[in-house]
Amino acid sequence: MRMVDLIEKKRDGKELTKAEIEFIIKGYTSEVIPDYQMSAFAMAVYFQNMSENERAALTMAMVESGDQIDLSAIEGIKVDKHSTGGVGDTTTLVLAPLVASVGVPVAKMSGRGLGHTGGTIDKLEAVNGFSVEISNQQFIDLVNKNKVAVVGQSGNLTPADKKLYALRDVTATVNSIPLIASSIMSKKIASGADAIVLDVKTGAGAFMKDLDQAEELAKAMVDIGNNLGRNTIAVISDMSQPLGLAIGNALEVKEAIDTLNGKGPKDLLELCLSLGSQMVFLAERTSTLEEARTLLEEAISSGKGTETLKAFLQAQGGDPSVVDDVTKLPTARYQIDVPAKQSGYISSIIADKIGVAAMLLGAGRATKESVIDLAVGIELKKKVGDYVEAGEAIATLHSNQENVDDVSKRVEESYTITSSKVTAPPLIYKEIR
Ligand code: URA
Ligand code: CA
């Protein structure tokens, strides 16, 4: 086989075989195939797309390019949840203990990553003492004991995807449905998931800005999962405004605790119940989604969810008493309100602009070397559809710098206020199975 022939084949819109795709991914990972040929191939895929069989083969070839985590020593069906990302998405912090509390194992591999806030691991490190530095054996033992543990990503998971994603980033080929879908699914499968719940976000703050695109991506991932024997479902949810009210690391831990106590923002609770029921259902803990939802609601009202969170934090060195006393979380020196310029109804909040504002306060990483300030962030006081009086706070900045006029201005500019009544956008658009 020669790479040049395979590039030509794809360029002309023909279907590659499984063996040909394996040849490309093996060759690229071992540096036999150079970046310039892989770039041409990615561009050919960008224009010519891939069939369902090609997508599954590409995913599996990337899974096999590195380590595959073996979770078979954990009892039960391991369901993983993945979100395509957004602003202030606190769902993992709520879902991990909540789903575990009804007996479904949550073996979470998570990252730090770049973004408006830290990743799940950074957020959890806002709890004094918490650490993901545990061995694979400890990880497995903890999931069997408490039904939940979080570990950092292994160094050699899907190296082909790492290499290809970096190449796509500089060759204008990121935005290709088959390449995005196989990239995401390869990481989930390599980290040992038996079944997968996908939260595909749509709207200004999301990777997929419009609903049609989000739906196409969701369908592509569900097809890959099912094709490879992993029961997969997707929920398409709104990210036109930030999810919940908190954007920041410690602020989101507090928001997650509030939500587990039944006192969190309605939209965050609703999305967690929806994704959580899918997880419980795929784990075959219940035979219907309705039963799954009832179990999760009971775990919130009975306090089982927060008890599981305490056990989980304690098992990984964290101080469990923060769950009963959130003032033990890191807090910022200054709390600065952003006032509304006029009275009226909030008609939009540009999620990614709020995200950048949180990052400017120090909540996220711009580069791998950036140091995160766990205490800072933004607390929204108003969401789309709410009424606000001129001068009333639309948001509060939690900052360790005193002068944050530029951040205040950004937050203010993210909000649009109109005189006529506005209805909030739907939270969940569609479920795809
Ligand atoms: N996220 C990924 O992990 N991969 C992509 O290709 C795009 C977004
Ligand atoms: Ca949030």
Side-chain angles (χ1 to χ4, degrees):
M1 257 183 251
R2 292 195 313 160
M3 182 63 176
V4 63
D5 300 326
L6 302 182
I7 296 170
E8 186 180 305
K9 194 171 173 186
K10 181 74 329 203
R11 183 201 66 193
D12 295 343
K14 298 193 182 107
E15 187 179 28
L16 299 174
T17 66
K18 187 162 180 278
E20 286 168 338
I21 289 172
E22 281 169 3
F23 171 86
I24 295 172
I25 294 303
K26 276 204 182 110
Y28 185 54
T29 314
S30 59
E31 307 198 335
V32 174
I33 293 170
D35 278 349
Y36 53 84
Q37 284 191 309
M38 199 60 184
S39 309
F41 177 73
M43 192 59 85
V45 170
Y46 181 93
F47 283 111
Q48 293 291 4
N49 209 336
M50 276 184 147
S51 69
E52 220 178 278
N53 283 337
E54 286 179 307
R55 294 172 184 196
L58 176 60
T59 305
M60 220 44 219
M62 294 203 290
V63 168
E64 284 162 1
S65 72
D67 297 344
Q68 293 177 60
I69 310 299
D70 179 5
L71 299 179
S72 57
I74 296 171
E75 302 134 29
I77 298 172
K78 275 71 70 182
V79 186
D80 201 358
K81 186 231 38 155
H82 178 81
S83 153
T84 59
V87 180
D89 185 359
T90 315
T91 53
T92 301
L93 295 178
V94 179
L95 281 173
L98 183 60
V99 168
S101 76
V102 302
V104 172
V106 179
K108 189 85 195 153
M109 292 197 87
S110 208
R112 296 178 188 277
L114 308 177
H116 307 121
T117 65
T120 297
I121 293 181
D122 298 296
K123 291 176 190 175
L124 286 167
E125 282 174 353
V127 177
N128 194 21
F130 184 88
S131 164
V132 292
E133 301 299 318
I134 52 176
S135 70
N136 279 353
Q137 191 56 48
Q138 280 174 303
F139 176 60
I140 285 167
D141 292 345
L142 285 180
V143 181
N144 279 331
K145 180 166 169 257
N146 296 324
K147 295 292 169 197
V148 51
V150 175
V151 71
Q153 245 143 32
S154 128
N156 197 36
L157 218 62
T158 60
D161 172 64
K162 267 199 199 96
K163 220 168 160 233
L164 180 56
Y165 198 4
L167 185 73
R168 288 164 55 211
D169 209 22
V170 293
T171 56
T173 50
V174 167
N175 218 336
S176 152
I177 298 273
L179 296 180
I180 299 170
S182 54
S183 166
I184 293 173
M185 292 302 285
S186 69
K187 285 175 275 210
K188 293 288 114 182
I189 292 174
S191 41
D194 299 320
I196 300 157
V197 175
L198 300 160
D199 178 15
V200 179
K201 309 279 195 190
T202 184
F207 198 65
M208 291 289 149
K209 307 281 177 212
D210 69 71
L211 184 57
D212 286 349
Q213 264 190 320
E215 195 172 336
E216 203 186 332
L217 177 62
K219 282 201 173 111
M221 293 193 288
V222 168
D223 284 343
I224 290 173
N226 291 331
N227 202 314
L228 296 174
R230 270 71 169 186
N231 220 339
T232 303
I233 70 105
V235 170
I236 300 182
S237 71
D238 183 62
M239 201 22 96
S240 62
Q241 62 174 338
L243 182 66
L245 298 170
I247 302 112
N249 299 282
L251 291 172
E252 289 186 44
V253 172
K254 176 181 179 299
E255 182 173 54
I257 293 169
D258 289 344
T259 304
L260 285 169
N261 275 319
K263 293 174 191 144
K266 271 205 209 79
D267 60 343
L268 177 61
L269 173 65
E270 179 50 38
L271 185 59
C272 288
L273 288 172
S274 173
L275 295 169
S277 344
Q278 301 282 1
M279 292 172 77
V280 171
F281 174 70
L282 284 191
E284 298 177 7
R285 171 73 176 79
T286 62
S287 52
T288 65
L289 280 172
E290 293 69 32
E291 277 174 80
R293 193 180 166 103
T294 305
L295 271 187
L296 296 176
E297 285 169 346
E298 282 168 4
I300 289 176
S301 52
S302 69
K304 241 166 75 181
T306 49
E307 286 312 309
T308 305
L309 175 61
K310 284 184 199 169
F312 156 59
L313 293 174
Q314 185 155 31
Q316 297 194 222
D319 175 7
S321 71
V322 295
V323 179
D324 296 320
D325 181 4
V326 292
T327 63
K328 288 184 174 175
L329 288 165
T331 45
R333 214 166 308 144
Y334 306 101
Q335 269 91 55
I336 303 149
D337 284 345
V338 180
K341 275 263 170 68
Q342 63 188 87
S343 301
Y345 296 90
I346 312 292
S347 63
S348 71
I349 307 172
I350 305 173
D352 41 0
K353 202 158 175 171
I354 295 277
V356 172
M359 193 144 140
L360 289 172
L361 291 172
R365 283 188 189 86
T367 71
K368 265 188 243 168
E369 286 70 37
S370 318
V371 176
I372 287 186
D373 186 339
L374 294 169
V376 305
I378 300 172
E379 197 187 333
L380 305 180
K381 296 290 187 187
K382 300 286 173 182
K383 302 250 321 209
V384 173
D386 289 347
Y387 181 79
V388 64
E389 292 280 353
E392 195 186 348
I394 48 177
T396 302
L397 309 182
H398 292 247
S399 172
N400 278 324
Q401 309 139 242
E402 195 169 5
N403 185 348
V404 285
D405 292 349
D406 55 331
V407 181
S408 283
K409 189 155 174 287
R410 265 174 203 271
V411 170
E412 192 209 304
E413 287 170 356
S414 310
Y415 275 77
T416 309
I417 301 174
T418 58
S419 54
S420 47
K421 258 196 157 167
V422 174
T423 41
L427 175 67
I428 292 170
Y429 291 97
K430 238 174 198 165
E431 277 168 22
I432 290 169
R433 50 182 69 242

